[in-house]
Amino acid sequence: MGNWRNPKSELDFGNSGTGSRLVMGAMATTPITAVFTGDASLRSRPMARVVDPLKAFGVTYEGQGSKALMPLTLHGARDAGAVTETIKVASAQVSLRCCWRRLNAHGTSRITQTTLNPRSYRKDAAAFGAKITARPLPEGGEVISVDGPAKLTGCSVEVPRDPSSAAFPLVSALIVPGSEIELPAILLNPAAPD
């Protein structure tokens, strides 16, 4: 973590809102500057709710208007310290982004989640060497502690297939009489609801 360099050109994420938001979180605690952009649809999506929480680390940004529309210039923090945050939105994407931005912050950051328990991303980060622990809350949810800066090392990962992407061939097979289709290893996430 922390070895990012200033990109030579804009980072164009096409239509990938998830990709752009995760990279914003990941680079937030590294002192670089990057311009985020995408297609017309992505440029119309408000990014203020994504980048405003980054200010606690010392991040600054310039976006289009009060909604921080793309193209958006993000200036990562230098020597970011630990930050405590509460997540009230049931979103694995938000939780993952919160975790990633803490991996390069100095000290132990804490994330309190009251609505979601996404164990899988914690296990994945731990497999790469991150020190992440979770303590359940009596009223539900948990407090996640992330020690940083983390020293991550590569490892092999098998990524389960996404049900939303698998839906297209599945529906195609259902509407064509006599069709057969096999869709193995879809959403093998033990934390996911049945």
Side-chain angles (χ1 to χ4, degrees):
M1 295 302 298
N3 290 325
W4 296 59
R5 292 192 175 99
N6 287 311
K8 295 179 181 176
S9 60
E10 292 182 337
L11 301 177
D12 189 339
F13 286 86
N15 191 252
S16 180
T18 299
S20 64
R21 291 175 180 120
L22 291 178
V23 172
M24 286 178 187
M27 70 149 281
T29 51
T30 303
I32 64 169
T33 296
V35 178
F36 290 77
T37 191
D39 67 8
S41 172
L42 188 58
R43 288 194 311 271
S44 70
R45 297 184 210 174
M47 292 291 162
R49 69 184 181 95
V50 176
V51 292
D52 282 345
L54 302 178
K55 292 178 182 177
F57 290 96
V59 170
T60 60
Y61 69 89
E62 297 93 44
Q64 309 301 309
S66 61
K67 295 182 180 180
L69 301 177
M70 291 184 182
L72 182 144
T73 303
L74 190 68
H75 307 282
R78 180 176 300 282
D79 298 322
V83 172
T84 297
E85 183 175 7
T86 299
I87 302 173
K88 297 181 180 176
V89 179
S91 168
Q93 185 186 107
V94 171
S95 299
L96 181 60
R97 193 170 60 238
C98 288
C99 178
W100 278 15
R101 65 183 171 234
R102 284 163 169 75
L103 290 174
N104 196 44
H106 295 273
T108 301
S109 293
R110 289 180 178 75
I111 306 165
T112 300
Q113 299 186 127
T114 56
T115 58
L116 190 66
N117 185 11
R119 290 174 290 191
S120 61
Y121 78 79
R122 291 200 309 270
K123 288 200 281 189
D124 290 345
F128 286 96
K131 290 184 179 179
I132 301 176
T133 57
R135 177 179 49 85
L137 295 170
E139 64 277 10
E142 61 190 0
V143 176
I144 299 167
S145 297
V146 181
D147 292 343
K151 182 172 181 172
L152 305 181
T153 55
C155 67
S156 296
V157 176
E158 184 173 335
V159 179
R161 289 152 184 90
D162 181 6
S164 62
S165 298
F168 296 99
L170 177 65
V171 171
S172 298
L174 289 172
I175 61 176
V176 178
S179 295
E180 290 185 22
I181 188 168
E182 184 176 331
L183 300 169
I186 296 175
L187 192 60
L188 299 177
N189 180 354
D194 292 333

